[in-house]
Structures are given as C-alpha cells and as structure tokens.
Amino acid sequence: MDLFNCQNCNSLFVKKKFRDVCDACYKEEEAKFDEVYAYIRKKSNRTALMMQVVEATGVEEDLIIKFVKTGKLRISQFPNLGIPCEKCGTNIQSGRLCSKCSDSLRSELQTFEDEEKCLTKIQERNKKNTYYIKDNHEG
C-alpha cells in the first residue's frame, strides 16, 4: 500500500494503478471529463480546437491533455484535440514527440554513438601503442 500526496490538493491518499489523485479530486476530474465529453460529442463541436474546448467548458488544458494521454478521449474521434510535443509544443496525435523532434533526437543519438565508437577505437589504438613502446624498451 503506497501513500502519496494528491498532486491537486496535497491530501494523503492510497495510490491506485490508474489514479494519480485522491478520491475527491478524481470525482472532480470525472465531472470535468463529463463536461468536456458532452461538449465535444455534439456534432458541431467534434472538430473544435483545444482552446475552443477550454473556453467553452472552463476545464484546464492540462486536464484535457491528461484525458487524451490516458485514452479517455480518443483523438481519432476528435482530430483537433491533439497533445503538445514535449520538446517543441507542436500539436501531435500520439506519443510524446512530433516526428521532427523525434528524427532530430534520433540523429543526435546516432552522432553520439558514432563518436563513442570512434573514441573507443582511439583508446584501443593508444593501448596497443603503449604496449608496443613498453615491449621495445624492455628488450
């Protein structure tokens, strides 16, 4: 049994697998979810942008993003409710990074790995040269 402080109200609660807030805050979040869902479920609001949903419902953008990330709101049904890329903030449909940031990170990682391989080769070459010098001075 793990006790945590609620991230919303700071009260102690027993953390459950799918809840990161206390029961009182969870009920409040559920009420806000119902409000958001009722708004975007209307045919005329299905293509609403995030800011339109925030303004119409009064629910914070972070909470709506949480609904999307946890799968309570499916972007396939509401295409304009994207989530921000964690690096640049661009609106994305899934994951944590947009394709541009993901490609950039992959490229940087590849460059780092290549530099590590090069450094390892240099260190191995220096070890061989050190042994060669030692062997020649001893004999």
Side-chain angles (χ1 to χ4, degrees):
M1 187 158 63
D2 295 327
L3 280 179
F4 286 88
N5 287 83
C6 175
Q7 61 186 3
N8 292 345
C9 68
N10 209 30
S11 67
L12 280 175
F13 74 105
V14 176
K15 189 169 184 176
K16 297 175 183 157
K17 188 174 183 177
F18 297 106
R19 277 195 209 168
D20 57 353
V21 294
C22 69
D23 286 339
C25 289
Y26 178 76
K27 288 176 186 172
E28 188 177 316
E29 281 186 4
E30 285 299 301
K32 289 180 179 182
F33 170 79
D34 291 341
E35 193 172 338
V36 168
Y37 191 72
Y39 175 77
I40 59 177
R41 191 177 59 201
K42 292 179 184 172
K43 192 173 187 176
S44 61
N45 298 332
R46 287 193 182 155
T47 57
L49 298 171
M50 181 68 76
M51 293 316 306
Q52 292 170 315
V53 177
V54 169
E55 289 172 9
T57 62
V59 176
E60 308 84 26
E61 183 177 358
D62 289 343
L63 188 54
I64 298 171
I65 290 170
K66 180 180 176 180
F67 296 151
V68 172
K69 284 184 175 182
T70 58
K72 289 181 90 169
L73 289 176
R74 295 196 181 133
I75 293 184
S76 60
Q77 295 172 324
F78 312 107
N80 292 332
L81 284 186
I83 52 179
C85 167
E86 291 184 9
K87 188 172 181 186
C88 71
T90 300
N91 212 23
I92 56 176
Q93 298 295 309
S94 63
R96 299 174 73 174
L97 297 173
C98 67
S99 59
K100 184 178 176 183
C101 289
S102 181
D103 291 346
S104 172
L105 190 60
R106 209 175 279 115
S107 174
E108 289 172 15
L109 183 59
Q110 186 61 51
T111 300
F112 176 77
E113 288 174 350
D114 292 346
E115 289 174 356
E116 284 291 308
K117 286 178 186 175
C118 186
L119 183 60
T120 301
K121 285 180 183 178
I122 291 171
Q123 289 172 339
E124 287 173 1
R125 196 174 313 133
N126 285 343
K127 280 182 181 179
K128 286 179 184 177
N129 287 341
T130 302
Y131 292 135
Y132 176 76
I133 292 171
K134 279 184 177 179
D135 287 344
N136 284 339
H137 285 294
E138 289 175 5

